[in-house]
């Protein structure tokens, strides 16, 4: 059951006889204007007694910014059936000599807590990359250490040391965008793509490159909206 996405057709008044019919309705959905979103995800109530406060066979049509990686609920307790319509990014035709491999870059400080997180994260990165094999999309890895000095993990985790902001205004993660800028100026990587990650991320399965064409892939955080803080971003990122 896909939990996110903007509704383009409300299921309270839209019913389909089967999950397949709901999927077809999503595929054939026509937005009212070229500026309106189409349908790329759908959910269908499969329980004859209803799903929460929704009726049996109600079919909700939605638009998700990244239908290839929606948040989902699974298990016997879930009454909804759902699906997504998208082109598999891994099957895109690439120009000769081009690869979809991506480089993982993680900003970090040298606190004991974050060092512990980094060791766990890097362990699982290596494990999942090995599972994916040499033809997978997972490429290199760099810890961008914004402490301004090396630490004892330099030989264990691939690391580039950059300077910490002189004034973080009491917000330690303010050093992160500045750290990425310094890293990109210092190094040259083989990959054409970069996954910006964080020390508390654990990779539960091998990760494909989720970019679709030239469209970036990201997890949307409701409290992070770069468009609302353009001047502040330019101050620290350039």
């Amino acid at each position: 059951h896909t939990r996110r996405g903007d509704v383009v057709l409300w299921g309270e008044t839209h019913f389909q006889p089967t999950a397949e019919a709901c999927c077809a309705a999503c595929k054939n959905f026509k937005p009212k204007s070229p500026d309106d979103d189409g349908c790329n995800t759908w959910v269908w109530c499969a329980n004859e007694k209803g799903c929460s406060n929704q009726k049996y066979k109600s079919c909700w049509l939605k638009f998700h910014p990244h239908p290839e990686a929606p948040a989902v609920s699974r298990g016997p307790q879930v009454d909804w059936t759902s699906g997504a319509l998208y082109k598999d990014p891994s099957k895109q035709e690439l120009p000769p000599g081009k690869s979809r491999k991506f480089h993982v870059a993680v900003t970090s400080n040298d606190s004991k807590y974050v060092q512990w997180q980094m060791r766990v994260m890097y362990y699982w990165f290596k494990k999942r990359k090995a599972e994916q094999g040499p033809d997978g999309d997972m490429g290199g890895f760099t810890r961008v250490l914004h402490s301004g000095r090396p630490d004892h993990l330099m030989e264990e985790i691939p690391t580039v040391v950059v300077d910490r902001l002189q004034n973080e205004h009491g917000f330690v993660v303010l050093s992160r965008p500045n750290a990425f800028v310094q890293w990109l100026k210092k190094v040259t990587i083989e990959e054409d793509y970069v996954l910006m990650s964080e020390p508390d991320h654990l990779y539960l399965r091998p990760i494909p490159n989720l970019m679709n064409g030239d469209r970036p892939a990201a997890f949307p955080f409701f409290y992070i909206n770069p468009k609302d803080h353009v001047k502040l971003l330019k101050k620290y990122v350039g």
Side-chain angles (χ1 to χ4, degrees):
H1 170 215
T2 54
R3 301 194 306 269
R4 297 180 182 274
D6 296 328
V7 176
V8 297
L9 185 60
W10 294 79
E12 293 174 338
T13 55
H14 178 231
F15 300 89
Q16 293 293 341
T18 64
E20 291 79 6
C22 187
C23 178
C26 181
K27 184 177 181 179
N28 296 324
F29 177 78
K30 303 296 183 183
K32 293 181 179 180
S33 76
D35 295 330
D36 293 334
D37 293 324
C39 178
N40 58 18
T41 56
W42 54 270
V43 293
W44 182 77
C45 177
N47 191 331
E48 294 182 358
K49 297 180 180 179
C51 305
S52 299
N53 60 341
Q54 300 301 314
K55 295 181 179 180
Y56 177 45
K57 296 183 179 180
S58 61
C59 172
W60 292 71
L61 306 186
K62 301 180 179 182
F63 173 82
H64 194 286
H66 289 287
E68 68 279 359
V72 298
S73 298
R74 297 183 175 91
Q77 76 283 0
V78 179
D79 296 322
W80 296 89
T81 299
S82 64
L85 305 174
Y86 62 92
K87 294 180 180 179
D88 187 346
S90 66
K91 292 182 171 56
Q92 293 182 69
E93 292 187 7
L94 298 173
K98 288 291 184 179
S99 168
R100 288 184 57 81
K101 284 189 179 293
F102 60 85
H103 193 102
V104 175
V106 187
T107 56
S108 169
N109 59 35
D110 59 356
S111 70
K112 297 296 182 184
Y113 177 68
V114 176
Q115 287 175 337
W116 175 83
Q117 286 183 320
M118 281 299 319
R119 297 187 73 185
V120 175
M121 181 200 184
Y122 186 54
Y123 168 85
W124 285 105
F125 166 84
K126 292 189 294 182
K127 190 175 181 67
R128 298 314 181 202
K129 181 180 177 180
E131 290 177 12
Q132 199 173 63
D135 296 328
D137 292 342
M138 298 177 75
F141 184 101
T142 299
R143 177 181 63 141
V144 185
L145 183 61
H146 52 77
S147 61
R149 58 181 183 272
D151 64 3
H152 68 282
L153 296 180
M154 299 293 293
E155 296 184 4
E156 180 178 340
I157 304 173
T159 301
V160 171
V161 179
V162 298
D163 295 329
R164 181 175 179 174
L165 277 179
Q166 293 183 354
N167 186 357
E168 293 174 335
H169 301 282
F171 189 54
V172 64
V173 295
L174 197 58
S175 281
R176 287 179 175 172
N178 183 57
F180 275 114
V181 172
Q182 293 180 73
W183 171 64
L184 291 171
K185 290 179 179 179
K186 280 190 171 187
V187 304
T188 300
I189 60 175
E190 298 179 358
E191 300 85 357
D192 291 328
Y193 303 88
V194 175
L195 172 62
M196 299 168 61
S197 195
E198 296 186 13
D200 58 354
H201 291 176
L202 293 180
Y203 299 147
L204 302 181
R205 60 181 65 90
I207 304 177
N209 185 334
L210 295 175
M211 274 196 66
N212 195 344
D214 58 357
R215 183 179 183 179
F219 183 86
F221 287 90
F222 69 91
Y223 56 87
I224 300 178
N225 192 347
K227 292 181 180 179
D228 295 339
H229 306 283
V230 174
K231 292 183 178 179
L232 184 63
L233 285 171
K234 287 184 177 180
K235 178 179 179 180
Y236 293 103
V237 181

